[in-house]
Amino acid sequence: WTGFAAVAAAVVLLDPGAFSQGYETLEGLDAILVTHQHVDHLDLEKLPALLGQNPDAELVVDPGTAEQLRERDIAHTVREPGESFTVAGTTVEVIGGAHAVIHPDIPQIANNGYLIDGTVLHPGDSFTIPSVTPPVLLLPTAGPWLKASEAVDYLRAVAPPLAVPIHE
């Protein structure tokens, strides 16, 4: 899921991945937040066009994604769970740490969740429980790493007033 929303004063794009289309022509973004390096969350082929349309936007990524961006000489800011930062007057808290287990034989990768202005939580592909209940949870509901029971348990644990299904 690629999300585009005005939250508080900032205009933020979440996870510009390969399964979404048309976002590379968006303008006026303050930040582009990437949860992790998988292609459905970050399309390295479309990213340069998006950044060209938004030269002042801050590209925020997890440590694992940063390595791929350094290889392509793409400017970015690395953020890790426990950090907070401000974009255009909007506070973003980073939660998470690791992608949900896909299979025990596949190493876990870094995953940032983003709580935007305390109102919208995008957990990426992780089931990290936030320290506060967000009014809106972007809830992963489908994916090769996900069981329906895990999504239900995560929804119950976070218990937001509103959940928006995301992911494939």
Side-chain angles (χ1 to χ4, degrees):
W1 180 78
T2 299
F4 177 72
V7 178
V11 179
V12 175
L13 179 68
L14 298 163
D15 282 350
F19 297 165
S20 298
Q21 298 177 355
Y23 62 80
E24 61 273 20
T25 61
L26 293 174
E27 295 178 341
L29 299 178
D30 296 306
I32 301 160
L33 307 180
V34 176
T35 59
H36 64 282
Q37 62 188 287
H38 288 158
V39 70
D40 56 329
H41 294 263
L42 177 64
D43 185 334
L44 290 169
E45 300 306 316
K46 293 179 186 173
L47 185 60
L50 176 64
L51 293 170
Q53 292 291 109
N54 297 278
D56 296 326
E58 182 178 9
L59 175 61
V60 177
V61 301
D62 64 279
T65 301
E67 186 176 320
Q68 294 179 357
L69 296 175
R70 279 191 295 274
E71 290 171 1
R72 293 175 179 248
D73 200 30
I74 297 174
H76 60 279
T77 302
V78 176
R79 299 288 183 178
E80 297 189 48
E83 292 186 49
S84 290
F85 60 98
T86 302
V87 175
T90 298
T91 300
V92 179
E93 297 174 50
V94 184
I95 70 164
H99 190 289
V101 174
I102 297 171
H103 186 275
D105 293 346
I106 299 173
Q108 284 182 287
I109 60 168
N111 182 97
N112 284 351
Y114 298 106
L115 179 59
I116 303 169
D117 240 9
T119 60
V120 176
L121 173 61
H122 185 341
D125 289 358
S126 175
F127 295 123
T128 301
I129 308 296
S131 60
V132 298
T133 300
V136 179
L137 170 63
L138 305 179
L139 176 67
T141 56
W145 54 273
L146 179 79
K147 294 180 197 169
S149 63
E150 293 171 329
V152 170
D153 289 345
Y154 185 60
L155 176 61
R156 287 177 176 167
V158 177
L162 176 65
V164 178
I166 63 167
H167 205 279
E168 298 176 9

